[in-house]
Amino acid sequence: MPSAGALLCLASAVAFGAMGIFGKLAYDDGATVGTLLSVRFLIAAALFWVLVLCSGAARHLRALSRRDVCTALALGGAGYSAQAGAYFAALDRLDASLLSLLVYTFPAMVTVAAIALGRERANLRASAALALSSAGLVLVLAGAASGSLDPVGTLLGLSAAVIYTTYILTSAGIAGRVDPLVLSALVCTGAAATLTLGSAVRGDLHPEALSPAGFGWLAGIAVVSTVIAVTLFFAGLRRVGPTTASILSMAEPVTTVGLAYLAFGESLRPAQLAGGALVLAAVPVLATARRRPRVSELLAPQERTHAPELIGAGAPGRPGP
């Protein structure tokens, strides 16, 4: 029987995996990309601050230096908002299932960048994982190209993975110093400010156009796929450790693919399924390739900002987006 920590990680992955489905449904009920991003982070930031106050984590906030506070706000206002923006702009053009596989190439990207920066050593397992992920991405794109592949959406999806990789590597330092709830609240606050202002300037902020159902889907992204997902992940991470958590989080794209089929009838072609399997197979290989993986290298995005949302658990939220 799975341990409590494993169940928490799996529940987090399912919550993150539902993000793309909520987003598609919100678009169908009147949400624009700008409205979705603004409402999501405004709600998530408010809820994280409530959790900070109720959990006693506020004492960690008072102990923070001004530099760490500004850094966390900037991570949200620049990095996390850019990643989330790319993800949800891509979601407006691509199937949720295809997008989830494109974004999930970020663990391999993090490994390549970490080796290039001298943070990790190249080894046989890492090389094998990168080969699996690269071959999987080729199959995913080739399978999609045999149908109708939106080049802009594909570029945005891969850009989300690249931006999240950069976000993970730059946030590793502060993630080791700041309480996870406090960091999540600060990052979401920074993202909410940037995205709300940016959407208003672009004329893409139209909450009045949302139907009640549309607002409900946006609340689902903020509550279920951001606040609950991140909170469950950190709770599970403390119990099972980063390696197990990273492997269990593979349930995220699997959840997205399954829910997309049930909700929209989306189906992946055989080549895409094979490619997705290779992309996912790279994750446990990468996890076991590290002798002592750090928490700050394991998660998001979602926006992870995340997550999901996997390599980079110190970063609040995954690609999740």
Side-chain angles (χ1 to χ4, degrees), residues 233-257:
F233 181 82
F234 283 124
L237 180 66
R238 284 195 296 268
R239 290 169 171 80
V240 301
T243 300
T244 300
S246 70
I247 295 172
L248 292 172
S249 293
M250 288 167 53
E252 179 185 335
V254 175
T255 297
T256 302
V257 171

Side-chain angles (χ1 to χ4, degrees), residues 44-60:
L47 291 176
F48 272 125
W49 284 119
V50 170
L51 287 175
V52 167
L53 294 174
C54 294
S55 66
R59 66 182 185 276
H60 297 291

